[in-house]
């Protein structure tokens, strides 16, 4: 089974959001992609509950997208019901073979401990974790190799992408 859950973690300023932007830009026009922050996800979950009395509208909207990129997943620690629903969504997306990329300031073990529904997904064999580390937040950047053709880009972003964080020259 190919990996379809990518977890990016590292300190604030290590390039997680920039990497999400680069993945988003690469996939635009090739496949359906949504890049969203955890705050927006929580707002949309709550709106779905207020409007329909359940999460189904939210769930259907995000389960169908081929690629879902979620920034600041750590924010869900203060929202256990939202974190649980997010875990259910990730499991469904993994079963469908859809790519989900999660970014967090929290390290993997802390996410597994504090967000168990999401952590259970991250412990599966089809999940990949990339730790973005750098010594100096002010001078760090992340590079994702850009393939020459759309087909190569799509394959490269099938989680076989090498990510290298380094200091700017």
């Amino acid at each position: 089974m190919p990996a379809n859950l990518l977890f990016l973690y590292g300190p604030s300023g290590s390039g997680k959001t920039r990497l999400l932007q680069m993945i988003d830009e690469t996939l635009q026009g090739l496949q359906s992609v949504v890049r969203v922050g955890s705050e927006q996800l929580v707002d949309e979950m709550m709106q779905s509950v207020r409007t329909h009395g359940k999460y189904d509208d939210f769930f259907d909207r995000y389960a169908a997208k081929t690629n879902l990129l979620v920034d600041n997943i750590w924010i869900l620690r203060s929202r256990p019901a939202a974190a649980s629903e997010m875990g259910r969504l990730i499991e469904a997306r993994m079963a469908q073979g859809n790519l989900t990329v999660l970014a967090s300031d929290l390290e993997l073990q802390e996410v597994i401990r504090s967000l168990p529904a999401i952590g259970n997904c991250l412990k599966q064999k089809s999940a990949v974790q990339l730790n973005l580390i750098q010594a100096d937040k002010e001078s760090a950047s992340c590079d994702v190799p850009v393939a020459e053709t759309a087909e190569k880009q799509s394959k490269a972003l099938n989680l076989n992408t090498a990510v290298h964080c380094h200091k700017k020259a």
Side-chain angles (χ1 to χ4, degrees):
M1 171 187 256
N4 58 6
L5 176 59
L6 175 61
F7 179 63
L8 306 172
Y9 64 103
S12 179
S14 62
K16 300 176 300 293
T17 299
R18 177 66 186 127
L19 183 55
L20 287 178
Q21 290 170 338
M22 293 170 72
I23 294 169
D24 185 14
E25 290 165 6
T26 302
L27 291 174
Q28 287 295 332
L30 300 174
Q31 302 172 355
S32 65
V33 59
V34 173
R35 183 168 55 92
V36 64
S38 291
E39 303 93 341
Q40 182 180 341
L41 284 177
V42 170
D43 290 345
E44 290 184 30
M45 283 181 198
M46 300 316 297
Q47 182 62 34
S48 181
V49 170
R50 281 192 291 272
T51 305
H52 305 287
K54 51 190 172 183
Y55 291 114
D56 291 353
D57 184 48
F58 162 83
F59 191 87
D60 292 344
R61 185 175 328 119
Y62 285 103
K65 298 296 181 182
T66 305
N67 303 288
L68 177 61
L69 316 175
V70 184
D71 206 357
N72 298 322
I73 199 77
W74 61 271
I75 288 172
L76 297 177
R77 286 189 309 176
S78 63
R79 298 284 183 72
S84 179
E85 189 62 21
M86 189 66 194
R88 187 172 78 92
L89 175 63
I90 294 167
E91 285 180 10
R93 293 181 54 74
M94 290 177 79
Q96 295 169 3
N98 291 335
L99 173 65
T100 304
V101 182
L102 306 174
S104 176
D105 290 0
L106 299 177
E107 292 188 14
L108 177 63
Q109 293 306 318
E110 181 60 22
V111 170
I112 289 171
R113 187 191 67 71
S114 63
L115 297 165
I118 295 170
N120 288 337
C121 297
L122 290 168
K123 291 190 284 187
Q124 294 183 29
K125 287 183 182 178
S126 60
V128 174
Q129 298 85 34
L130 266 68
N131 186 359
L132 304 180
I133 301 174
Q134 92 294 322
D136 182 2
K137 290 193 291 189
E138 305 271 317
S139 61
S141 68
C142 273
D143 293 333
V144 175
V146 178
E148 293 177 359
T149 66
E151 182 180 346
K152 286 183 183 177
Q153 286 176 352
S154 182
K155 286 180 183 174
L157 286 170
N158 193 12
L159 303 187
N160 295 321
T161 301
V163 177
H164 177 67
C165 289
H166 60 88
K167 289 186 178 181
K168 292 180 183 174

